[in-house]
Amino acid sequence: MVNPAATFRALHHDRSPGDPLVLPGPWDAASARAFEDAGFPALATPSAGVAASLGYEDGSTPADEMFAAVRRIARSVSVPVSADVEDGYGLPPKELVARLLDAGAVGCNLEDSTRADGLKDPRAHADWLAEVRAAAGDALVLNARIDTFIRGAADPVAEAVDRARLYIAAGADCVYPIGAPLTALPHLRAAVEGPINAGAPADGSVLREWGAAGATRITFGPGLQRRAATAVGEIAERIRRGE
């Protein structure tokens, strides 16, 4: 039997520079099916987009509701689904892994900061990631989010490199320096072994350019859910006007 995590992991490797792995971010089962029908080989849920679909502010979704949403998304499609589970909701690594696998996820995003306390100690976080890896074995693709660009680090590129090296050594399959600009990607690519996740640019620039600059994979966060919500709002307004 094919290991779905192995299938997903393989999508991160042997890619040409201008061909990043593009992973749309479904927020519910219907959007997940739409992205699969469009031909995407895998999906990556955004915690903020799922939160909005459930009526929560970003970062305030109860863990039970987030895992239930991931389960609905994963069971609605046949392609691999990676789940953004923020900083793990304070769950012990074995329980976190068990809940992800029970929900049908084959990968996860794990953040290295909190809103209340800012950036976590990198070595302590790497130790925690190593525990998650040990609990998961090869059943999950770990995407270690690096928050130096969004948490005011003095030198976000240098600190991102240091953290990336620690996290990859701890067993992360991919690192995600969220908020890194296009100009930072060549520096990160030159210094970091392994796949690098970049956030899809909001300025509409071509995704291939981000791949050529060093991004192995590109995710969208809540961007697609917000665009869909805007479109629904525009439709509602036209209906209200009787058009």
Side-chain angles (χ1 to χ4, degrees):
M1 181 177 178
V2 176
N3 178 348
T7 299
F8 184 45
R9 187 175 287 111
L11 291 172
H12 294 71
H13 296 281
D14 299 321
R15 308 195 69 88
S16 62
D19 181 34
L21 173 62
V22 178
L23 301 176
W27 54 93
D28 60 12
S31 60
R33 286 194 292 269
F35 293 137
E36 180 181 33
D37 289 346
F40 290 97
L43 308 174
T45 70
S47 62
V50 172
S53 76
L54 297 175
Y56 292 101
E57 294 295 323
D58 183 21
S60 63
T61 308
D64 287 349
E65 293 198 45
M66 184 61 75
F67 286 114
V70 171
R71 183 178 297 107
R72 289 191 293 271
I73 289 168
R75 77 186 180 199
S76 72
V77 295
S78 61
V79 297
V81 173
S82 182
D84 182 350
V85 288
E86 302 178 349
D87 66 345
Y89 306 111
L91 297 172
K94 287 184 179 180
E95 182 178 352
L96 174 61
V97 168
R99 298 195 69 172
L100 282 162
L101 295 177
D102 181 65
V106 301
C108 64
N109 274 20
L110 294 169
E111 303 170 6
D112 68 352
S113 76
T114 66
R115 287 171 176 79
D117 301 320
L119 287 164
K120 298 180 179 181
D121 177 81
R123 294 190 180 279
H125 188 64
D127 289 344
W128 181 75
L129 287 174
E131 292 184 54
V132 175
R133 167 54 69 210
D138 64 355
L140 287 174
V141 175
L142 302 185
N143 188 33
R145 206 179 88 174
I146 298 170
D147 291 358
T148 58
F149 289 91
I150 64 170
R151 298 296 183 205
D155 187 340
V157 173
E159 187 163 347
V161 168
D162 290 343
R163 287 172 178 262
R165 289 171 173 168
L166 285 170
Y167 301 164
I168 290 171
D173 295 282
C174 184
V175 292
Y176 179 15
I178 188 171
L182 181 64
T183 53
L185 285 176
H187 302 284
L188 294 167
R189 178 70 286 157
V192 174
E193 294 289 338
I196 296 175
N197 190 144
D203 63 3
S205 55
V206 179
L207 298 185
R208 288 191 299 274
E209 295 177 2
W210 287 69
T216 310
R217 84 181 209 180
I218 296 176
T219 51
F220 292 80
L224 298 177
Q225 181 273 328
R226 290 172 180 168
R227 288 169 63 179
T230 297
V232 170
E234 292 170 352
I235 293 169
E237 181 60 23
R238 290 198 295 271
I239 294 171
R240 187 191 66 79
R241 294 195 303 261
E243 297 177 2

